[in-house]
Amino acid sequence: MNKIILEKANKFIKASSDASFSVIDESGYPSASAIWLINQNDIKEVYFSTIVGSNKYNRLQKNKQASICAYNEANNLTLVGEAAILTDQESKTKHWQENFIYIYPEGPTDPTYCIIKFTTKRVSLHIEHEGAEFLI
């Protein structure tokens, strides 16, 4: 793995807020949805929230394999790995964003609020006219 491309990937994910998240559904097919990334410092671990009982939540209960794709006009970064559901209060408080109040009206203690921690295993990207694929 090229250190420069890894730095570009880390810079790209840190600047990204919107992405797509794909999980395997009940029929064995990929199912993608839009997510809002929070507190991502590098491509190794990426976080976002979801609602307890949502399709994402239920599907991750059965299959932890997932993928995130962050992109803009000319660049894309696809991360493949595993997702873990975090419901502990420490994680929920750490990752709380003020605009979450519209979705989780009880704040960080809302029982429908949880965090998804995505751990990257493989990366595929095209950033600044350079493509690469590598394992983490």
Side-chain angles (χ1 to χ4, degrees), residues 6-16 41-43 128:
L6 179 60
E7 288 173 4
K8 287 181 182 181
N10 286 334
K11 181 179 176 183
F12 185 78
I13 197 68
K14 191 169 187 168
S16 298
N41 290 318
D42 60 39
I43 59 173
E128 297 175 3

Side-chain angles (χ1 to χ4, degrees), residues 102-131:
Y102 300 105
I103 302 167
Y104 313 108
E106 295 180 38
T109 60
D110 194 307
T112 66
Y113 165 56
C114 69
I115 294 295
I116 304 298
K117 174 187 174 186
F118 179 86
T119 303
T120 303
K121 305 289 182 191
R122 185 179 78 225
V123 178
S124 177
L125 59 80
H126 187 269
I127 297 176
E128 297 175 3
H129 307 290
E130 185 175 3

Side-chain angles (χ1 to χ4, degrees), residues 33-58:
S33 60
I35 58 170
W36 184 52
L37 303 174
I38 54 174
N39 300 334
Q40 67 278 11
N41 290 318
D42 60 39
I43 59 173
K44 294 178 185 173
E45 289 182 357
V46 178
Y47 297 87
F48 62 95
S49 75
T50 196
I51 297 170
V52 171
S54 68
N55 284 335
K56 281 189 282 287
Y57 177 92
N58 291 332

Side-chain angles (χ1 to χ4, degrees), residues 77-95:
L77 172 66
T78 300
L79 309 175
V80 176
E82 295 184 351
I85 299 167
L86 307 178
T87 57
D88 64 285
Q89 193 56 57
E90 182 180 345
S91 295
K92 290 168 63 169
T93 300
K94 176 181 177 182
H95 295 287

